[in-house]
Amino acid sequence: MASNAYRNGAQRGSAKFDRPVAAPSHLKTASLKSRIPPSGSAVRRSSPASLGGRNGDGVPGRVRVAVRLRPRNAEEMVADADFADCVELQPELKRLKLRKNNWDSDTYEFDEVLTEFASQKRVYEVVAKPVVESVLDGYNGTVMAYGQTGTGKTFTLGRLGEEDPSDRGIMVRSMEDVLADLSLETDSVTLSYLQLYMETIQDLLNPANDNIPIVEDPRTGDVSFPGATLVEIRDQQSFLELLRVGEANRIAANTKLNTESSRSHAILMVNVKRSVMENEDIVSRENGDTSHLTKPSKPLVRKSKLVVVDLAGSERIHKSGSEGHTLEEAKSINLSLSALGKCINALAENNAHVPFRDSKLTRLLRDSFGGTARTSLIVTIGPSPRHRGETSSTILFGQRAMKVENMLKIKEEFDYKSLSRRLEVQVDKLIAENERQQKVFENEVERISLEAQARVAEVERNFADALEKERLKCQMEYMESVKQLEQKLVSSQDRHDRSGFMDRHAEGPGPYSADEVAEVKKLLENEINQRKKAEEEVEYLRSQVGKNVQAEAGADAEILKLRKVLEDEAQQKQKLEEEIVILRSQLLQLNFEADQMRRCLERGGSGNTFPSQDSSMSNVRHSPLKNTANGQKASIATLFEQVGLEKILSLLESDDPNVRIHAVKVVANLAAEEANQKSIVEAGGLTSLLMLLRRYEDETVRRVAAGAIANLAMNEANQELIMAEGGITLLSMTASDAEDPQTLRMVAGAIANLCGNDKLLIKLRSQGGIKALLGIVRCGHPDVLSQVARGIANFAKCESRATNQGIKSGRSFLIEDGSLPWIVQNANDEAAPIRRHIELALCHLAQHEANAKDLISGGALWELVRISRDCSREDIRSLARRTLNSSPTFKSELRRLRIDY
């Protein structure tokens, strides 16, 4: 790294890579053979729509190849001083001439021809930058350097540019563009740095990890390296530190061709994860007018990978002087490069078989050549005529690589996490707004109620005061009238007594005078008038009382309205209490599950620590199991006591999605216990769960409902009820619509349980149960495939039993529905549950002669032979042997193939 000569042998003093080259005046473009744009021209970012669709379709993209000539080093200037260079470059024509002798030469065309004066920036822009931009758009990309030892591959790719920034290589510049284009808040970049040394993959960031396996996804063909160091990159400085660590750990040796020759292939893998929003335009035609509507944007995650491969240089032993361990390294390098050349030849000639598995190098580059990645190859050559053979081989390698076409495909998926976070924020805002509005409403109701009460109290008080005043007034007037009458009566009696005394002594007694009688009558009339006035006053007061009563009735109407509002609030409170009850039940269930998990962990720890305890300790170990069972019963009893089964089932039809989701989760948890299943079915729970599958498209509701149905389907009596109510049809429809692996696993588990009933075989097949299982395998998730394999094994076992009993004859329904290819393909699956179920299914299918010819033509006979030899379970091996020995067709075919089993 600190040597005066650069990494691949040329002296730093003689390298003139920073000299700019004039850009050509025009670009030669074509649909499939477009040139890589030169330095100085605008590099257009390809949109995702132009490179490939999102529905699995892609567009062809040929491997782009550029050639770069290394300048002469000091040794070549001395040794080849009397000889001309064997290579003549014509960069303006994208051509290269390789001289055979002084008068004859061969001409080759490349996508780009880079002279010895081409700068590192120009090399990056024409070779790697289009690939980096494709990676940022969501496509995989590969940049690879190939050439003889000492021609500048590592300088082109891995130069850090610490002393001279213009010497920065493709690795450093590509990471600069990636970090500049991403948002670290929503996007992420992770990195692995590996080397392939002597057909062993080693971690350059962790030298102790020196044997990393290659794992290929059977569904997508993607290659992964479990156990390799994966570092998240946040800035350019941390990336440069990782490159320094990797270069320090990379294996190199001193040869005649290069003082520091790489003895391994270096692979830098940059994984980019981007969050994007997608809008979909909808064309609407109404009344002859066309309008465009835009659906709400949906979050997507684009996952792409940039692979930068610095291949070790090809060399000839007599020229490099390799010996001993260095010789073995050279052999391994040449073998892997030879395997790569064979694959490229096969792809260029469109051969049916491409030997990718001949080398680990070709396995990890499978996506780069003939796959879905956009690939750019730079081949590096030297000018010395002494190495004309190696230069010719390198040029021919690049020519063949130009004939390879890849199918570019975008890598994106729905961003459930981002959508969930956004919805959670919206829900929190709505909850807060609802609480504020509810508080304002409650305050307004309280204010109106207080104002109404104050008005009623004021009216009552004013009425009481007015009534009291009128009563006192009438009473005073009445007392005053009575007093006047009493005074007049007394004065009248006095006058009458005096006049009677004088008449008795003088003239004798006589009648009252007319004046007195008239005065008395007048007094009586006045009294009657006053009484009438008092009665009128009373009537007036009564009318006032009526008006006050009407006013009070209006106040009562307002109070009734407020009472109605309060009743509505009470109903909302009741709904909240119902949700609280559901949440309590869930809390109890979660507490129980946490307690059960804690006890399981304690039990596991105790078992590992004291493996040799006596029987008394064994009893202590069993006590957590009893406590777990008691805790489970107590939890279920608490659920029934606080909520009640009828209440829970009624909440399944709630209009509130959240209440409905919580209710179906509670029912699913209860259905997991066999003791509760009968009560759930009798209360109509099975019908309600099937109705949820029919009516709602919510993924959570369908997943939990399917899980509850799967639990109920473990009971034979419930299986017949599920079939009678059209459950298999609903499960099949859910299987065809769902994409979530957990939902598909629940649906597959329910169908697998139904497949174990002998009475339901024909009905299950006629209603599409087997085809639904086969359709679920599109998911590819191991847990889902395990349930599918279990269902097929159950069906094959029941079908075999029905054939032995004479109930059924002829070919297997599984073979007629086209499941045999999938069974044979997964018979030797890496996952033990899938493999075990498939092996059992094959043995049951092979027990009947009617299936023998189909099994032989479908390749199942070889799997049966393997099972009879290599199966890990003795009972399955024995069953396979008995099946092969009992079938005349199998025995005849084995004799024909001369297979000894």
Side-chain angles (χ1 to χ4, degrees):
M1 297 292 290
S3 174
N4 290 330
Y6 77 79
R7 181 69 174 80
N8 278 314
Q11 291 184 358
R12 184 175 298 150
S14 62
K16 300 180 180 179
F17 289 176
D18 55 349
R19 178 178 175 180
V21 178
S25 59
H26 64 280
L27 296 176
K28 300 180 180 180
T29 60
S31 60
L32 295 179
K33 298 184 178 180
S34 59
R35 300 293 184 184
I36 301 176
S39 175
S41 64
V43 180
R44 182 178 61 85
R45 289 290 302 275
S46 301
S47 65
S50 66
L51 290 178
R54 298 180 177 83
N55 299 323
D57 55 341
V59 295
R62 179 174 59 78
V63 174
R64 300 296 192 267
V65 181
V67 61
R68 185 180 193 185
L69 177 65
R70 172 182 59 78
R72 286 192 178 191
N73 54 31
E75 179 184 356
E76 292 171 343
M77 289 181 179
V78 174
D80 301 334
D82 298 332
F83 300 94
D85 291 349
C86 67
V87 177
E88 178 185 350
L89 303 183
Q90 296 177 336
E92 66 280 358
L93 299 177
K94 304 292 189 294
R95 288 179 182 174
L96 175 149
K97 288 186 177 181
L98 180 63
R99 292 193 180 93
K100 294 181 179 180
N101 45 50
N102 291 334
W103 58 87
D104 192 11
S105 63
D106 294 328
T107 303
Y108 303 94
E109 289 189 0
F110 288 92
D111 293 304
E112 191 67 35
V113 175
L114 302 168
T115 67
E116 64 270 29
F117 307 110
S119 66
Q120 290 282 74
K121 180 179 180 181
R122 172 171 168 74
V123 172
Y124 169 73
E125 289 182 347
V126 300
V127 175
K129 191 168 185 178
V131 177
V132 173
E133 291 178 344
S134 295
V135 170
L136 293 172
D137 286 333
Y139 299 85
N140 290 343
T142 302
V143 179
M144 188 171 70
Y146 179 92
Q148 182 190 6
T149 298
T151 53
K153 298 184 297 300
T154 304
F155 180 88
T156 301
L157 295 182
R159 190 72 169 179
L160 298 182
E162 295 174 332
E163 298 178 0
D164 186 356
S166 64
D167 284 345
R168 301 192 314 279
I170 286 176
M171 291 182 181
V172 177
R173 294 176 186 270
S174 61
M175 184 56 68
E176 290 175 354
D177 282 356
V178 168
L179 292 176
D181 196 73
L182 297 182
S183 171
L184 296 181
E185 297 179 357
T186 58
D187 307 332
S188 66
V189 183
T190 56
L191 174 144
S192 295
Y193 200 8
L194 311 173
Q195 71 174 355
L196 178 60
Y197 175 71
M198 301 285 287
E199 283 300 303
T200 302
I201 297 179
Q202 302 176 358
D203 195 339
L204 289 176
L205 302 181
N206 182 14
N209 193 4
D210 58 359
N211 191 9
I212 300 174
I214 297 179
V215 177
E216 297 182 16
D217 190 334
R219 184 171 61 89
T220 62
D222 292 340
V223 176
S224 60
F225 303 91
T229 302
L230 194 64
V231 182
E232 184 173 1
I233 303 300
R234 307 293 295 179
D235 53 62
Q236 185 71 10
Q237 188 60 37
S238 62
F239 173 70
L240 293 176
E241 291 295 332
L242 292 175
L243 285 186
R244 291 190 190 97
V245 172
E247 284 298 317
N249 293 326
R250 190 176 178 186
I251 298 174
N254 185 8
T255 67
K256 291 181 179 180
L257 298 177
N258 193 351
T259 58
E260 195 175 349
S261 174
S262 300
R263 314 308 292 168
S264 65
H265 307 298
I267 303 102
L268 177 71
M269 292 188 295
V270 180
N271 300 291
V272 179
K273 181 179 179 181
R274 304 195 69 179
S275 297
V276 297
M277 302 298 293
E278 180 190 55
N279 293 325
E280 294 185 7
D281 290 337
I282 305 173
V283 180
S284 175
R285 293 181 175 88
E286 295 182 0
N287 300 326
D289 297 333
T290 301
S291 61
H292 291 270
L293 304 177
T294 301
K295 281 187 177 180
S297 58
K298 59 180 181 180
L300 298 175
V301 174
R302 289 180 180 167
K303 296 180 180 179
S304 54
K305 180 169 61 177
L306 173 63
V307 180
V308 183
V309 184
D310 180 11
L311 295 175
S314 61
E315 60 185 47
R316 294 186 180 180
I317 306 302
H318 69 278
K319 290 187 177 181
S320 64
S322 300
E323 59 184 10
H325 186 67
T326 307
L327 178 59
E328 297 300 322
E329 293 174 341
K331 290 180 180 179
S332 176
I333 292 171
N334 289 337
L335 284 175
S336 61
L337 293 177
S338 176
L340 178 60
K342 291 179 181 179
C343 292
I344 290 179
N345 287 342
L347 289 169
E349 296 172 1
N350 292 323
N351 290 347
H353 173 68
V354 181
F356 282 115
R357 305 191 69 83
D358 287 356
S359 170
K360 288 187 177 180
L361 176 63
T362 54
R363 290 178 64 188
L364 64 86
L365 291 178
R366 187 168 188 168
D367 191 50
S368 304
F369 292 97
T372 62
R374 182 170 186 175
T375 302
S376 286
L377 171 66
I378 180 168
V379 294
T380 57
I381 58 176
S384 175
R386 291 180 297 160
H387 304 301
R388 184 188 178 284
E390 288 81 357
T391 301
S392 175
S393 176
T394 301
I395 292 173
L396 292 177
F397 179 89
Q399 288 289 300
R400 290 191 296 269
M402 290 178 65
K403 299 178 182 179
V404 178
E405 287 199 4
N406 296 344
M407 188 63 66
L408 307 183
K409 292 184 179 180
I410 197 168
K411 311 287 185 180
E412 67 181 16
E413 60 187 26
F414 193 79
D415 190 359
Y416 293 96
K417 292 183 180 179
S418 175
L419 180 61
S420 176
R421 288 194 299 268
R422 189 174 67 180
L423 293 178
E424 285 178 357
V425 172
Q426 293 179 358
V427 168
D428 291 338
K429 289 182 179 179
L430 292 175
I431 290 174
E433 182 65 23
N434 183 38
E435 289 181 351
R436 286 194 295 270
Q437 292 181 358
Q438 185 175 359
K439 185 65 177 176
V440 171
F441 178 74
E442 290 176 353
N443 294 337
E444 186 67 17
V445 169
E446 184 177 1
R447 184 185 65 79
I448 294 174
S449 178
L450 292 176
E451 289 181 358
Q453 292 177 2
R455 289 173 57 188
V456 170
E458 184 179 0
V459 169
E460 291 178 347
R461 188 167 54 252
N462 293 337
F463 174 73
D465 292 343
L467 186 62
E468 183 65 20
K469 289 180 181 179
E470 291 296 329
R471 188 182 66 79
L472 291 175
K473 181 179 178 182
C474 293
Q475 186 176 3
M476 292 298 294
E477 292 178 351
Y478 177 75
M479 291 176 65
E480 185 68 25
S481 300
V482 170
K483 185 176 180 181
Q484 291 178 0
L485 288 175
E486 288 178 349
Q487 290 176 357
K488 291 181 179 180
L489 181 60
V490 169
S491 62
S492 176
Q493 287 179 352
D494 290 341
R495 287 196 299 271
H496 177 67
D497 291 340
R498 284 195 300 272
S499 62
F501 179 78
M502 292 177 65
D503 289 339
R504 279 196 308 269
H505 290 84
E507 298 177 357
Y512 292 109
S513 65
D515 295 334
E516 291 177 350
V517 173
E519 186 176 358
V520 171
K521 288 182 178 179
K522 186 176 180 181
L523 290 173
L524 288 174
E525 289 177 356
N526 291 334
E527 189 67 26
I528 291 170
N529 292 331
Q530 289 180 358
R531 184 173 180 179
K532 288 182 179 179
K533 289 182 180 179
E535 290 177 352
E536 291 177 354
E537 288 292 334
V538 171
E539 290 295 332
Y540 173 74
L541 291 176
R542 284 179 179 174
S543 65
Q544 290 294 325
V545 170
K547 292 180 180 179
N548 290 333
V549 169
Q550 291 178 355
E552 186 176 359
D556 290 340
E558 191 169 359
I559 291 173
L560 289 175
K561 184 186 295 183
L562 293 174
R563 284 179 179 174
K564 184 176 181 181
V565 173
L566 292 175
E567 288 177 357
D568 293 339
E569 290 295 323
Q571 291 179 356
Q572 292 183 0
K573 181 179 179 182
Q574 185 178 2
K575 289 183 180 179
L576 293 175
E577 289 176 351
E578 291 177 356
E579 293 182 6
I580 290 172
V581 169
I582 294 174
L583 293 175
R584 276 182 186 170
S585 65
Q586 290 183 343
L587 181 59
L588 289 172
Q589 186 71 11
L590 290 175
N591 288 336
F592 161 70
E593 292 176 357
D595 187 56
Q596 186 177 12
M597 181 62 70
R598 178 180 58 79
R599 288 170 176 164
C600 290
L601 291 174
E602 292 176 356
R603 184 166 66 252
S606 175
N608 293 332
T609 308
F610 304 101
S612 60
Q613 294 294 333
D614 55 8
S615 60
S616 62
M617 183 58 73
S618 177
N619 294 332
V620 173
R621 288 196 198 121
H622 288 298
S623 62
L625 295 176
K626 297 178 181 178
N627 294 336
T628 301
N630 293 335
Q632 187 173 4
K633 292 179 181 178
S635 176
I636 294 173
T638 305
L639 289 173
F640 277 110
E641 179 181 353
Q642 292 191 356
V643 182
L645 182 59
E646 297 293 338
K647 181 63 177 177
I648 294 174
L649 294 179
S650 65
L651 292 177
L652 292 176
E653 301 179 359
S654 173
D655 294 333
D656 189 345
N658 292 326
V659 175
R660 189 166 58 247
I661 290 173
H662 292 316
V664 72
K665 287 182 178 179
V666 173
V667 173
N669 289 330
L670 293 175
E673 296 298 323
E674 186 176 359
N676 303 329
Q677 292 181 359
K678 183 177 180 181
S679 301
I680 292 174
V681 173
E682 290 177 351
L686 177 58
T687 303
S688 299
L689 291 171
L690 292 174
M691 186 63 68
L692 289 177
L693 287 182
R694 180 182 294 109
R695 291 173 52 187
Y696 297 103
E697 297 181 357
D698 184 87
E699 195 70 29
T700 303
V701 172
R702 295 198 301 179
R703 179 177 68 251
V704 181
I709 293 172
N711 290 333
L712 294 176
M714 297 175 67
N715 188 305
E716 185 174 352
N718 295 340
Q719 291 173 357
E720 297 180 358
L721 289 176
I722 291 173
M723 295 296 296
E725 295 191 18
I728 189 64
T729 302
L730 293 175
L731 290 172
S732 300
M733 293 172 59
T734 305
S736 64
D737 296 339
E739 295 295 337
D740 179 45
Q742 295 302 324
T743 303
L744 292 174
R745 181 172 69 89
M746 297 299 181
V747 174
I751 298 177
N753 291 337
L754 295 175
C755 287
N757 193 324
D758 296 348
K759 303 175 184 178
L760 305 177
L761 288 182
I762 298 177
K763 191 173 183 179
L764 185 69
R765 190 248 184 155
S766 64
Q767 294 184 5
I770 300 303
K771 292 186 177 179
L773 273 180
L774 295 177
I776 292 175
V777 302
R778 71 182 185 279
C779 174
H781 195 281
D783 293 342
V784 178
L785 297 182
S786 177
Q787 294 297 327
V788 173
R790 183 172 69 87
I792 290 177
N794 287 344
F795 193 92
K797 183 177 180 180
C798 293
E799 192 177 44
S800 176
R801 205 156 40 218
T803 304
N804 291 334
Q805 296 172 0
I807 301 174
K808 181 188 177 300
S809 62
R811 297 169 65 207
S812 169
F813 290 152
L814 292 173
I815 295 178
E816 291 181 355
D817 284 350
S819 61
L820 183 58
W822 185 83
I823 293 175
V824 174
Q825 180 183 357
N826 293 272
N828 196 19
D829 195 275
E830 295 180 357
I834 300 175
R835 185 175 64 253
R836 186 180 69 253
H837 291 309
I838 293 299
E839 289 174 348
L840 279 173
L842 268 178
C843 291
H844 286 304
L845 289 174
Q847 287 180 342
H848 302 287
E849 197 68 18
N851 302 328
K853 292 184 179 180
D854 293 301
L855 293 175
I856 292 173
S857 62
L861 179 58
W862 297 100
E863 294 299 333
L864 285 171
V865 173
R866 180 192 60 78
I867 294 169
S868 67
R869 294 174 177 174
D870 304 332
C871 183
S872 59
R873 287 182 49 172
E874 178 63 29
D875 56 340
I876 299 179
R877 287 203 308 273
S878 300
L879 181 59
R881 292 194 196 102
R882 289 198 305 270
T883 302
L884 291 173
N885 288 326
S886 62
S887 173
T889 306
F890 287 155
K891 293 170 70 175
S892 174
E893 182 67 14
L894 292 173
R895 284 195 299 270
R896 187 182 70 82
L897 297 174
R898 298 180 181 178
I899 297 176
D900 185 13
Y901 59 94

